[in-house]
């Protein structure tokens, strides 16, 4: 049984290996593959409005954050980022976290959700997000410097929540 | 004769009234209309990679910045923002700064330029930027909370530089 709940400080020891592994792959997030633990913590749990974990039997299998995508007059649109540990892929955790995040975003008062830079190579995630109601509103040529594939296109995804 | 050059510390006294006036209008930038001087300085001259001024006879009539639009694997794409003082509109200063920024961006090693949140109501600027080679790659419904018009659509503009 997978539970999704708000992250607490003690969760970081289990969150960090997931964040580190995903950043190091350099195929989905723009943050540098060598982003260190302190920077990662600032990015993943300090800067966001809220951070969550997906837990099964005390083990953290995935994590996501929600934050305003822009300041002031753009702050009614949120951004979210999701990660699933390599060992826990294929269990529907990404889908469950995305669904959870859309509900939480509404509770937090956001009016829309936006993903800013989705590497076009990330085909599995893009299909999932379209399933969850997102639309590709545009594609930025060569905007993502994929660690192994070099410059690839990146999509912007968006959905209104209300 | 209008000269465009890098901003120096002593320019801030003339830059701040322009930034303040434009932010306060709440019709083009996402930053809150009540952004104060310290925050504005951080946004306009401290955070960016470089800040420039358009000067005529010692008077600063416009200003712009360039910065990476994303960290790490997205940092080869830059973002830029431009402002012209209310008194100096219609003199082609926005166009001159945009042209200058595209050249500077190449010199600084950027491969593309992106504007993330261009209010659809900002018709004059959008036409100018299309003239300067930008393409509207997508439109975000209700993504900009215009101070007087409420939630309006916002465009994302992009152009490859190389």
């Amino acid at each position: 049984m997978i539970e999704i709940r708000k992250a607490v400080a003690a969760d970081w020891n289990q969150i960090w290996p997931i964040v580190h592994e995903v950043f190091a792959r350099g195929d989905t997030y723009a943050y540098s593959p060598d982003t260190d633990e302190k920077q990662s913590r600032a990015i993943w749990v300090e800067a966001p409005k809220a951070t969550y974990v997906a837990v099964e039997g005390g083990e953290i299998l995935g994590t996501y954050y929600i934050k305003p995508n822009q300041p002031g007059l753009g702050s009614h649109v949120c951004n979210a980022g999701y990660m699933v540990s390599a060992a826990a892929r294929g269990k529907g955790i990404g889908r469950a976290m995305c669904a959870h995040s859309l509900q939480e975003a509404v509770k937090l008062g956001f009016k829309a959700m936006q993903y800013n830079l989705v590497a076009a190579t990330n085909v599995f995630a893009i299909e999932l997000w379209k399933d969850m109601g997102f639309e590709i509103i545009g594609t930025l040529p060569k905007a993502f410097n994929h660690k192994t594939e070099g410059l690839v296109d990146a999509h912007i995804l968006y959905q209104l929540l209300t």
Side-chain angles (χ1 to χ4, degrees), chain A residues 22 25-31 115-130 136 138-157:
Chain A
V22 173
R25 262 199 338 264
D27 58 357
T28 51
Y29 283 82
Y31 298 107
Y115 305 151
N116 299 301
L117 194 72
V118 179
T121 46
N122 197 3
V123 176
F124 180 83
I126 294 164
E127 286 310 306
L128 168 59
W129 290 327
K130 283 158 96 175
I136 295 178
T139 300
L140 306 161
K142 301 185 183 181
F144 186 79
N145 190 8
H146 191 289
K147 188 175 169 183
T148 56
E149 302 201 24
L151 295 182
V152 300
D153 295 351
H155 303 306
I156 294 164
L157 276 72

Side-chain angles (χ1 to χ4, degrees), chain A residues 33-112:
Chain A
D34 60 6
T35 303
D36 69 21
E37 182 170 354
K38 191 180 168 199
Q39 294 167 323
S40 295
R41 190 171 178 142
I43 291 164
W44 204 260
V45 302
E46 288 164 16
K49 176 91 173 170
T51 303
Y52 301 81
V53 287
V55 184
E56 189 178 44
E59 190 184 359
I60 292 174
L61 303 181
T63 177
Y64 82 88
Y65 71 79
I66 298 181
K67 66 181 179 191
N69 197 47
Q70 297 282 351
L73 304 179
S75 64
H76 60 292
V77 178
C78 67
N79 170 249
Y82 315 87
M83 293 181 171
V84 177
S85 75
R89 301 259 161 80
K91 298 176 76 166
I93 296 169
R95 180 180 293 267
M97 290 194 300
C98 184
H100 192 270
S101 73
L102 291 166
Q103 292 180 336
E104 285 296 305
V106 172
K107 283 187 206 167
L108 291 167
F110 292 109
K111 308 292 187 205

